[in-house]
Amino acid sequence: MASPRQKLVSRQPWKAVYALFAAIATLVRLPFYLAVFSVPSFRPHNKWTYQQALMNTLFRTFLYHAAVVEVNTSIQSTPAVREDRVELMRPGPAEKYSGIALDAAIEACPVKGTWYPSTYEAGDENNHNIILHFHGGGYAMCEGSEGDSGFAASLLVKHAAAKALFPSYRLSSNQGGRFPAALQDAITAYNHLLDLGIPPGKIVLSGDSAGGNLAIALLRYVGENSLLFPRPLSVLLWSPTTDMLAAKEPLEIDQNRNSSTDFLAGDFCAWGAKGLITNVSPAATPYFSPRNNPFSCQVPMWIQVGGLEVLYDNALEFAGNMRKQGNAVEVYVEPYANHDILYLGGSTGFGVEAVKAVKAAREFLGGLKRD
C-alpha cells in the first residue's frame, strides 16, 4: 500500500494541477456559501455570525486539500522580517536527550525560535509571564514565525502580560520530522530558557492544537527526567490534541458529533498523525496520545476548549484523567467556539472569544505561587 508521500498529487506538476482545480471548485461554490450563510438558521450553528459560518467552511476545505497535496512548510533558518527577534537555539548536552527522546535516526538539532514582542533580556521574568509556546498545525504545517503565529503571539503579549518564545519545531510532514523530532526540539527550547538564567518557576509551557500535544509531551518528559530538568510554573493548553494515535483514522474526526461545527478535516489530522507515528515504538504512545495515558506532573494545568469543536470530548476526558492522578486542572470552555481560537480566531471570526480566553488564562496564572 502506497504511503501518503507516494501519492501522485503530492508531486509536481500534478500538485499544482490539483491545487488549481481545487481553487476553481471552491470559487464556484463560494456564491452558494455566501447566499446560504446569509440566513442564520442555515449556518452550522444558529448563534454563529456570517463570518464564523463562512470561514469555518473555507478553512475545512483548505485543510482537506492541503492534506491531499501535502503542502510543505519549509522551516527557514532566518525570518522574513524582524530578524532581531529570532535566535537559533543550539541543542543542550547529549544527556539532556535520554530515554524516549533518543533515536538512532533522529538527532537533536538547532531550532529557530521567535520572541514576542522582543528578545529576552535579563529580568524580564519579573514583569512578564515567560511563555514557551508551541504552535498548532497538526504537526504538519505552520511555524513559530510572525507570518503564521503572529495573531496568537499578539494575544499572549497584550492580554497575558507575556514575553513569549515560539519555536519552529520540526514537522512530521518533512523528512526527519517523525517522533521524537518535535519533542527533541521542545527539550532544546526549554533547556535554552533555563540556560538564559530564567528560573523554572517563572516559565509557562503553552501550546495550541498539536502544539498542545507537544507541550504535554514535554511536561511528561520533564517529570520523568526530574534530575535533568526542573518543573515549570504551569502549562496552558489551547484546544489540545490529546490522541494522535486515534487521529490516524480520518473517521475519528469526520464522524465526531461536532464535525459540522468545526473546520478540522479528518484527512488533515490523519496526514500529520501518520507522519508523526511512522516507525515509532509502542512505548512512545503516551507521549503523543496522553488522553488515556495520564501522569502525575505536579504542575498546574489550564485547558481552553471550544464547546463546538471535534476535540471537545477528548479534552474533557484528558482533563478528568489527569485529575485522577492528583493534578490540578482547570478547564475553560468557550461554548460556541470551534477549534483553536487562540491561533486562528482572528481569521475565523472568534477574535473576541480568543481575547476572553487569554484574559482567563492570565487570571489563572496570576493565582499561582511563583518561586
Side-chain angles (χ1 to χ4, degrees):
M1 181 177 178
S3 70
R5 289 174 175 76
Q6 295 172 320
K7 291 186 303 185
L8 184 64
V9 293
S10 68
R11 300 173 180 176
Q12 297 293 7
W14 305 112
K15 176 184 286 192
V17 172
Y18 179 93
L20 176 61
F21 277 94
I24 293 173
T26 301
L27 288 174
V28 169
R29 294 188 183 101
L30 186 58
F32 171 76
Y33 297 146
L34 293 173
V36 168
F37 293 148
S38 65
V39 181
S41 60
F42 288 165
R43 296 169 190 169
H45 196 280
N46 58 17
K47 289 189 178 296
W48 278 9
T49 66
Y50 184 81
Q51 179 188 1
Q52 290 166 344
L54 178 62
M55 296 309 295
N56 185 75
T57 297
L58 294 180
F59 263 91
R60 185 179 180 88
T61 301
F62 167 75
L63 291 181
Y64 169 77
H65 292 306
V68 170
V69 302
E70 298 182 354
V71 171
N72 179 260
T73 297
S74 178
I75 307 299
Q76 303 295 327
S77 59
T78 56
V81 295
R82 296 297 300 276
E83 293 190 16
D84 56 302
R85 292 193 287 107
V86 174
E87 57 184 313
L88 203 60
M89 300 175 283
R90 304 292 177 181
E95 60 267 20
K96 297 284 188 176
Y97 309 86
S98 64
I100 207 70
L102 282 176
D103 189 284
I106 307 294
E107 297 182 353
C109 63
V111 182
K112 186 183 79 171
T114 305
W115 281 100
Y116 299 90
S118 58
T119 53
Y120 171 80
E121 295 182 7
D124 277 344
E125 65 272 15
N126 297 323
N127 302 307
H128 300 277
N129 291 308
I130 304 299
I131 296 181
L132 175 59
H133 185 86
F134 302 103
H135 66 81
Y139 279 111
M141 292 176 60
C142 304
E143 59 173 327
S145 62
E146 191 164 5
D148 286 339
S149 300
F151 178 73
S154 67
L155 292 184
L156 293 175
V157 167
K158 183 176 181 179
H159 301 292
K163 174 152 282 191
L165 176 62
F166 280 56
S168 292
Y169 56 86
R170 282 171 285 178
L171 302 174
S172 68
S173 55
N174 293 339
Q175 186 70 29
R178 67 163 174 83
F179 185 89
L183 176 60
Q184 291 175 350
D185 294 347
I187 295 168
T188 295
Y190 187 54
N191 187 70
H192 178 73
L193 293 184
L194 296 173
D195 282 349
L196 288 176
I198 303 173
K202 298 292 182 69
I203 299 173
V204 177
L205 303 184
S206 178
D208 63 275
S209 194
N213 185 274
L214 182 54
I216 298 168
L218 176 59
L219 188 62
R220 183 189 292 269
Y221 184 83
V222 167
E224 293 180 352
N225 295 273
S226 57
L227 296 180
L228 296 174
F229 292 101
R231 292 191 302 269
L233 170 66
S234 180
V235 60
L236 306 176
L237 304 173
W238 313 82
S239 294
T241 303
T242 59
D243 199 338
M244 293 300 295
L245 191 61
K248 290 176 65 177
E249 300 299 329
L251 292 181
E252 174 75 11
I253 298 297
D254 294 337
Q255 292 186 351
N256 185 277
R257 66 186 182 89
N258 284 340
S259 63
S260 65
T261 53
D262 204 352
F263 57 78
L264 279 182
D267 288 282
F268 174 77
C269 296
W271 170 39
K274 290 176 181 177
L276 180 73
I277 302 172
T278 298
N279 298 323
V280 173
S281 167
T285 299
Y287 273 84
F288 47 75
S289 292
R291 176 173 56 134
N292 293 316
N293 295 283
F295 57 100
S296 176
C297 62
Q298 302 180 52
V299 174
M301 181 176 291
W302 183 90
I303 303 173
Q304 179 273 320
V305 65
L308 297 179
E309 67 170 295
V310 295
L311 300 184
Y312 174 78
D313 292 331
N314 284 2
L316 294 192
E317 184 178 359
F318 169 71
N321 289 338
M322 289 296 286
R323 289 189 183 112
K324 292 176 183 177
Q325 296 294 313
N327 299 299
V329 182
E330 181 175 319
V331 177
Y332 174 90
V333 178
E334 190 57 51
Y336 302 113
N338 57 12
H339 182 63
D340 204 355
I341 58 176
L342 175 73
Y343 203 70
L344 294 169
S347 299
T348 58
F350 288 94
V352 172
E353 291 81 357
V355 170
K356 286 172 55 182
V358 176
K359 288 181 176 179
R362 178 177 182 174
E363 184 176 348
F364 169 79
L365 293 176
L368 300 178
K369 181 180 179 181
R370 299 167 185 259
D371 296 337

